[in-house]
Amino acid sequence: MAVPIRVDPGRLPPKEFTSAEQAAAHVGAGCLQDGPIGRVGLEIEAHCYDLADPMRRPGWDELSAAIATVPPLPGGSRITVEPGGAVELSGPPFDGPMAAIGALLADRAVLRAAFAREGLGLVLLGTDPLRPTQRVNPGQRYQAMEQFFTASGSSEPGAAMMTSTASVQVNLDAGPRDGWADRVRLAHALGPMMIAITANSPVLGGQFTGWSSTRQRVWGQLDSARCGPILGVDGDDPASDWARYAMRAPVMLVNSPDAVPVTNWVPFADWADGRAVLGGRRPTEADLDYHLTTLFPPVRPRRWLEIRYLDSVSDALWPAAVFTLTTLLDDPDAAEIAAQATESVATAWDRAAQAGLADRHLHAAALTCVQAAAERAPAELEESMRHLVRSVEQGRCPADDFADRAVQHGIAAAVSQLAKGEL
């Protein structure tokens, strides 16, 4: 009698896709998770400066040593380092915005104190206003990304995106399946108005750019197939829209096993269909899942909604901005108000990034939306919310405040003041 051969499933070669249609089905099936709303996860990036010499960019070993001195964070955030040395805190999901905000504020305080003891300051601005672009994170992924951007003719904005930008990211539940289309449409429609409210990057590399959110401008200079909004013509099926977007986007890196840049334009669909061969094979699920991490739309489905369009703004302001965005999406009455208020500016991405609240249509939308959020804000958020409402009423975004400081004191002195916590 023959003895059956037992095969360890873990040793089987990964299954390759046989078509772009099969790969697209994989994307669409897993991009949004059906369920209730209410959980909020926050991430915030801060540029790191030497308190004694703001022109010097701290190196990888120095950053790693500083992070090693940080005691356990009370809010449970994870600390990572961006390609240019910006330090990111990524918090776990919490029930409701206030718990998430409180946890991240607590973690920010601990991190700032630890870095200050090492002579380093953390500055919340959408772009690095002072130093030239330079990568300090030695990770293979970032080396390969540099090569990809150079080969695609976008080395300058690619380097700026990787090493000189910082944001506040808000992660929210996708919600019930029957509400996905409206929820994803609204998350996009809020983008220009929220960019105008939080625009905080008028200077890049020592130069005023003429844009309130130079961070958004930098992202707009990269290819729209990777960084543009995902919605289709009507936005009625965001899962299909995301799958279509992912198939059309060019492959940036192939892990074989190291990250190898793809220096010619190969849509993922061509790799899955066999019209192009990368790494000597067709893609696997692992390749596709990795490909999705190299796509950077303003709203990215990752089972939840990853909202990526806010500039990094001060601790005095970002709690109110986060609460506003979350309320406008999660509170049904506020969402209805926001949908109507932003209808005329829902696609004004560039106008918002350049003019901020100086644009009267964006200003009107912001006034309505911020007031709706303020009426729902709890007492513990009163100070931050008052700050945001006052700024919006005056038609000023954080970029205006930094520009005033830079003109009065000089860009380097303005950065030093922020790095030292001087308001």
Side-chain angles (χ1 to χ4, degrees):
M1 183 176 179
V3 178
I5 298 174
R6 297 186 179 276
V7 179
D8 181 357
R11 295 188 177 183
L12 291 175
K15 186 176 180 181
E16 297 176 0
F17 289 111
T18 58
S19 69
E21 183 179 18
Q22 185 187 33
H26 175 75
V27 174
C31 69
L32 295 172
Q33 182 173 317
D34 185 22
I37 61 172
R39 291 180 303 167
V40 179
L42 301 177
E43 303 174 30
I44 192 165
E45 298 166 339
H47 303 287
C48 185
Y49 291 93
D50 182 335
L51 293 176
D53 179 8
M55 281 298 299
R56 187 182 74 84
R57 190 182 291 268
W60 176 253
D61 290 343
E62 186 177 0
L63 290 166
S64 299
I67 291 171
T69 71
V70 179
L73 297 177
S77 294
R78 182 169 55 96
I79 306 172
T80 55
V81 178
E82 294 298 299
V87 179
E88 180 177 27
L89 284 175
S90 302
F94 288 89
D95 291 331
M98 294 311 300
I101 289 168
L104 194 60
L105 281 171
D107 289 351
R108 279 267 307 151
V110 172
L111 182 69
R112 283 200 319 272
F115 268 58
R117 289 191 292 270
E118 302 300 312
L120 301 174
L122 298 171
V123 175
L124 298 174
L125 288 168
T127 53
D128 184 335
L130 195 57
R131 301 170 298 194
T133 59
Q134 179 188 352
R135 180 174 59 84
V136 299
N137 187 323
Q140 288 184 346
R141 171 185 170 95
Y142 301 129
Q143 294 180 41
M145 286 177 71
E146 275 186 337
Q147 296 174 55
F148 172 87
F149 286 127
T150 298
S152 64
S154 55
S155 59
E156 187 173 339
M161 179 275 285
M162 291 176 63
T163 70
S164 298
T165 63
S167 69
V168 176
Q169 185 171 295
V170 181
N171 302 308
L172 302 177
D173 289 315
R177 182 182 300 271
D178 60 5
W180 284 352
D182 288 341
R183 188 163 172 78
V184 174
R185 269 197 298 263
L186 181 56
H188 282 80
L190 291 172
M193 184 268 298
M194 291 301 304
I195 287 170
I197 286 174
T198 63
N200 192 30
S201 46
V203 186
L204 176 65
Q207 299 293 324
F208 283 88
T209 65
W211 291 70
S212 296
S213 176
T214 304
R215 174 186 174 274
Q216 183 66 24
R217 170 61 174 158
V218 166
W219 283 97
Q221 290 175 314
L222 298 171
D223 63 85
S224 60
R226 182 177 307 281
C227 301
I230 69 170
L231 290 185
V233 175
D234 53 25
D236 285 342
D237 186 355
S240 293
D241 287 342
W242 177 230
R244 190 178 304 111
Y245 185 102
M247 291 302 103
R248 291 175 176 173
V251 181
M252 176 182 277
L253 315 171
V254 174
N255 286 311
S256 55
D258 296 335
V260 178
V262 178
T263 55
N264 53 327
W265 188 278
V266 179
F268 195 93
D270 286 1
W271 190 17
D273 276 336
R275 290 191 293 270
V277 177
L278 302 175
R281 56 180 173 77
R282 291 200 188 193
T284 65
E285 286 188 5
D287 291 313
L288 178 51
D289 292 341
Y290 191 82
H291 172 65
L292 297 179
T293 72
T294 70
L295 308 182
F296 310 109
V299 180
R300 182 164 67 174
R302 296 190 62 187
R303 297 192 307 279
W304 61 90
L305 298 183
E306 186 182 80
I307 300 174
R308 306 169 49 84
Y309 44 60
L310 306 181
D311 273 13
S312 190
V313 293
S314 70
D315 286 317
L317 191 60
W318 70 254
V322 164
F323 181 84
T324 296
L325 178 58
T326 303
T327 299
L328 297 178
L329 280 163
D330 283 3
D331 182 289
D333 293 334
E336 186 174 347
I337 292 169
Q340 295 177 4
T342 57
E343 186 175 4
S344 66
V345 295
T347 60
W349 299 93
D350 284 349
R351 183 152 40 105
Q354 186 164 29
L357 292 175
D359 180 273
R360 63 185 181 90
H361 299 291
L362 287 160
H363 186 215
L367 281 170
T368 300
C369 290
V370 167
Q371 188 58 50
E375 291 171 356
R376 293 161 172 80
E380 58 264 41
L381 199 65
E382 182 179 357
E383 185 176 351
S384 183
M385 205 73 215
R386 188 187 304 118
H387 182 174
L388 179 60
V389 170
R390 182 172 60 248
S391 295
V392 172
E393 287 176 345
Q394 294 173 348
R396 290 178 63 85
C397 54
D400 299 316
D401 296 331
F402 180 77
D404 288 349
R405 185 190 291 258
V407 169
Q408 181 177 358
H409 301 286
I411 298 171
V415 169
S416 288
Q417 290 168 7
L418 295 177
K420 295 172 183 176
E422 299 174 9
L423 301 179

